[in-house]
């Protein structure tokens, strides 16, 4: 990366970070308290200290949010500010509930006992994001540490979008457009929240970057794919499983198309298929060998309000889940059709990726499909962040679509006609000036230029020229 593009990348990331100063608090969700207490425990705090600092942050954020909402409430803005009262009530409730569980002996694990031990085990197996928070909350404190961690994670995601787009041959301007889209669309706001989604998106983009590098002939980048999947497993093992399964499925589709077209599969696709299939098997084995929550635990968590109600019978639970699943997708589709911006961007991004580079487009669609699987496994219409991975398709795909219409600027009109620098009209070279004014000779033969570069998923090798073959299929090695 040259100095000028790097400067623009850093400028966009810094500008995004400055804009986030408008909302230092108020981004947390109920799950944020679990990750924060986990990080504080990893940093050396005992259970009481971790719980106390987490409660102070959560309740202060709720009080500030209530004050801001009250200030713009057309009915109640004249009344006294309810923020301090809400903050005190919040602290009183959590001090009582957490203290009661600590006195009852619920002190195992790294998280403070905000909920039942069965529910907290879901977060105990996700050490990746709390480990990321440790240096930030240790040096900057809880409030600014969480904010700074969010800025770093979100900025890194945008930079990875730029790297992915440059790897697939997109011009610098359009790659910067992709980075800006990552910050402007819900991906940026979601990445800023003190949750795992921002880290998951960054690691998913790192996997896509590694896949693009391998398809461009850099076989060593398969290590980047494997390491990113391993790190993703520590952040949220279900997302790592979904991503490896979807990528393996997408690579399988590419293999089938190429074999049916009578083309070689290609060493790059084989390498990626081995890595993703191996990751899938490894993740499934680890989740069975280690005390990870099962699919049944996830189902009961969904249907029993986080285990606050009795467990459903197995057969009844699955019927209720399917009923909820059907209702969810009908309602989701109804809302999307009312405001179809997301669907339009999704179609545009998918079309652009598949048109520009079909093999990479399949892998991008596979990464986006993990968002569909996440929300399908937990169909809660009020939790939009579970589907945020789908937004990666328009973030990366729309610049690829725009690249189809991109033509580089000519430094001077028709410079090739002059064979050098353009003449000065005031000089004695009147013939050159007249030739320039006359414009190009449209009758002269011009060599046709390709509309877009040909993408290969094999490294270029020296040797005798290959034997001419028939036009390649879009998913063949020469169509990447």
């Amino acid at each position: 990366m040259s100095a000028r593009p790097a400067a623009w990348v850093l400028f966009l990331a810094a500008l995004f970070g400055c804009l986030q100063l408008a909302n230092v608090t108020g981004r947390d969700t109920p799950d944020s308290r679990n990750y924060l207490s986990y990080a504080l425990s990893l940093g050396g705090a005992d259970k009481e200290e971790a719980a106390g600092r987490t409660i102070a942050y959560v309740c202060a954020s709720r009080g500030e949010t209530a004050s801001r909402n009250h200030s713009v409430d057309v009915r109640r803005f004249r009344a006294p500010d309810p923020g301090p009262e809400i903050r005190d009530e919040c602290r009183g409730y959590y001090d009582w509930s957490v203290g009661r569980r600590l006195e009852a002996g619920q002190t195992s694990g790294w998280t403070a006992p905000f909920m039942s031990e069965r529910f907290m085990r879901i977060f105990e197996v996700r050490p990746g994001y709390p480990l990321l928070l440790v240096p930030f909350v240790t040096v900057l404190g809880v409030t600014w540490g969480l904010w700074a961690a969010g800025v770093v994670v979100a900025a890194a995601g945008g930079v990875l979008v730029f790297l992915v787009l440059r790897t697939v041959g997109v011009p610098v301007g359009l790659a910067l457009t992709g980075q800006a889209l990552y910050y402007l669309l819900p991906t940026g706001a979601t990445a800023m929240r003190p949750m795992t989604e921002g880290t998951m998106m960054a690691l998913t983009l790192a996997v896509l970057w590694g896949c693009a590098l391998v398809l461009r002939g850099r076989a060593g980048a398969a290590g980047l794919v494997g390491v990113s999947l391993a790190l993703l497993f520590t952040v949220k093992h279900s997302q790592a499983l979904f991503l490896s399964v979807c990528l393996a499925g997408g690579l399988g589709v590419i293999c089938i198309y190429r074999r049916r077209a009578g083309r070689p599969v290609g060493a790059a696709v084989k390498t990626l298929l081995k890595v993703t299939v191996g990751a899938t098997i490894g993740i499934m084995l680890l989740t069975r060998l280690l005390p990870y929550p099962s699919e049944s635990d996830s189902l009961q968590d969904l249907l029993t309000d986080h285990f606050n109600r009795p467990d459903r019978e197995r057969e009844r639970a699955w019927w209720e889940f399917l009923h909820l699943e059907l209702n969810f997708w009908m309602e989701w589709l109804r809302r999307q059709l009312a405001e179809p911006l997301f669907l339009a961007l999704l179609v545009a991004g998918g079309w652009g990726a598949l048109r520009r580079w079909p093999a990479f487009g399949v892998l991008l669609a596979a990464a986006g499909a993990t968002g569909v699987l996440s929300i399908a496994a937990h169909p809660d219409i009020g939790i939009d962040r579970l589907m945020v991975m789908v937004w990666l398709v328009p973030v990366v795909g729309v610049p690829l679509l725009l690249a189809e219409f991109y033509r580089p600027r000519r430094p001077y009109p028709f410079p090739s006609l002059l064979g050098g620098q353009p003449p000065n009209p005031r000089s004695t070279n009147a013939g050159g000036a007249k030739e320039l004014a006359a414009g190009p000779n449209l009758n002269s033969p011009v060599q046709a230029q390709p509309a877009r570069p040909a993408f290969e998923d094999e490294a270029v090798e020296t040797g005798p020229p290959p034997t001419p073959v028939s036009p390649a299929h879009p998913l063949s090695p020469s169509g990447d």
Side-chain angles (χ1 to χ4, degrees):
M1 185 188 301
S2 63
R4 187 177 177 183
W8 279 109
V9 169
L10 294 178
F11 171 75
L12 287 179
L15 178 61
F16 173 78
C18 292
L19 294 177
Q20 304 314 304
L21 289 169
N23 294 277
V24 177
T25 61
R27 302 177 188 268
D28 59 289
T29 69
D31 290 346
S32 300
R33 60 193 180 186
N34 303 319
Y35 295 116
L36 176 57
S37 64
Y38 200 145
L40 293 173
S41 297
L42 290 173
D46 56 22
K47 277 289 190 295
E48 289 77 11
E49 181 185 355
R53 294 177 66 183
T54 302
I55 291 171
Y57 169 78
V58 170
C59 294
S61 179
R62 291 185 182 179
E64 184 176 346
T65 301
S67 297
R68 294 206 304 260
N69 293 338
H70 170 76
S71 66
V72 293
D73 190 330
V74 295
R75 297 180 179 178
R76 300 182 177 87
F77 73 95
R78 302 178 185 86
D81 181 8
E85 181 180 356
I86 290 177
R87 182 188 62 231
D88 293 340
E89 290 179 356
C90 173
R91 296 201 64 164
Y93 169 77
Y94 278 121
D95 287 340
W96 169 78
S97 61
V98 174
R100 180 170 57 89
R101 292 190 178 96
L102 289 174
E103 292 176 358
Q106 188 178 335
T107 57
S108 61
W110 296 95
T111 56
F114 289 100
M115 298 285 285
S116 66
E117 191 170 359
R118 186 181 178 187
F119 177 73
M120 300 309 297
R121 190 167 65 248
I122 297 175
F123 299 90
E124 292 287 344
V125 298
R126 302 175 183 176
Y129 180 63
L131 280 171
L132 175 66
L133 293 179
V134 170
F136 291 96
V137 298
T138 301
V139 175
L140 301 176
V142 171
T143 300
W144 286 102
L146 287 177
W147 178 86
V151 170
V152 170
V153 169
V159 173
L160 284 167
V161 170
F162 177 87
L163 293 174
V164 169
L165 289 171
R166 289 296 291 151
T167 301
V168 300
V170 171
V172 171
L174 292 178
L176 291 172
T177 301
Q179 181 185 2
L181 285 176
Y182 184 84
Y183 297 147
L184 294 174
L185 292 177
T187 46
T190 303
M192 277 298 302
R193 304 178 76 175
M195 297 288 293
T196 58
E197 277 71 25
T199 310
M200 287 161 49
M201 282 190 292
L203 290 173
T204 300
L205 287 167
V207 171
L208 286 175
W209 185 31
C211 291
L213 289 171
V214 173
L215 291 175
R216 293 301 298 266
R218 300 182 183 181
L224 174 62
V225 177
V227 171
S228 299
L229 286 172
L231 293 175
L232 187 57
F233 177 81
T234 67
V235 176
K236 192 174 183 181
H237 67 278
S238 61
Q239 175 64 19
L241 179 61
F242 290 157
L243 182 57
S244 58
V245 168
C246 289
L247 288 177
L251 291 165
V253 170
I254 296 174
C255 291
I256 293 173
Y257 268 81
R258 289 182 176 179
R259 288 191 179 277
R260 287 185 175 181
R263 305 293 181 184
V265 173
V269 174
K270 291 180 180 178
T271 299
L272 290 175
L273 189 59
K274 292 176 183 177
V275 172
T276 53
V277 171
T280 301
I281 296 174
I283 293 171
M284 295 180 67
L285 288 176
L286 285 175
T287 54
R288 292 296 181 267
L289 296 175
L290 299 176
Y292 277 54
S294 63
E295 297 82 0
S296 177
D297 292 327
S298 178
L299 178 63
Q300 295 295 341
D301 168 52
L302 174 67
L303 299 178
T304 62
D305 190 20
H306 307 308
F307 307 112
N308 287 321
R309 300 174 182 173
D311 283 7
R312 300 296 200 202
E313 297 179 1
R314 184 177 179 84
E315 294 184 1
R316 181 181 178 184
W318 282 108
W319 279 111
E320 290 181 351
F321 174 77
L322 294 176
H323 181 70
L324 179 62
E325 190 82 41
L326 178 62
N327 291 344
F328 169 84
W329 287 111
M330 292 179 62
E331 176 63 18
W332 180 87
L333 183 60
R334 185 187 67 81
R335 296 186 183 186
Q336 296 302 320
L337 292 178
E339 299 179 3
L341 175 62
F342 170 67
L343 295 179
L345 289 175
L346 185 63
V347 172
W351 174 251
L354 291 172
R355 178 179 173 82
R356 177 77 177 183
W357 190 1
F360 178 77
V362 171
L363 299 184
L364 177 62
T370 61
V372 178
L373 292 179
S374 296
I375 197 67
H378 199 93
D380 189 337
I381 199 70
I383 309 181
D384 296 336
R385 58 182 172 81
L386 293 178
M387 208 173 184
V388 71
M389 293 296 171
V390 184
W391 280 98
L392 294 180
V393 176
V395 165
V396 178
V398 168
L400 289 172
L401 179 62
L402 296 177
E404 291 294 309
F405 308 99
Y406 174 81
R407 294 294 180 269
R409 274 187 317 184
R410 291 183 180 273
Y412 197 84
F414 314 111
S416 60
L417 299 178
L418 306 174
Q421 294 294 330
N424 185 354
R426 296 184 179 181
S427 67
T428 57
N429 186 8
K434 292 179 180 179
E435 182 180 357
L436 174 63
N441 183 4
L442 299 180
N443 296 322
S444 61
V446 180
Q447 184 179 1
Q449 298 295 330
R452 59 179 185 269
F455 294 98
E456 300 289 342
D457 69 352
E458 304 288 347
V460 178
E461 299 179 358
T462 59
T467 304
V469 295
S470 58
H473 190 275
L475 291 179
S476 66
S478 62
D480 288 344

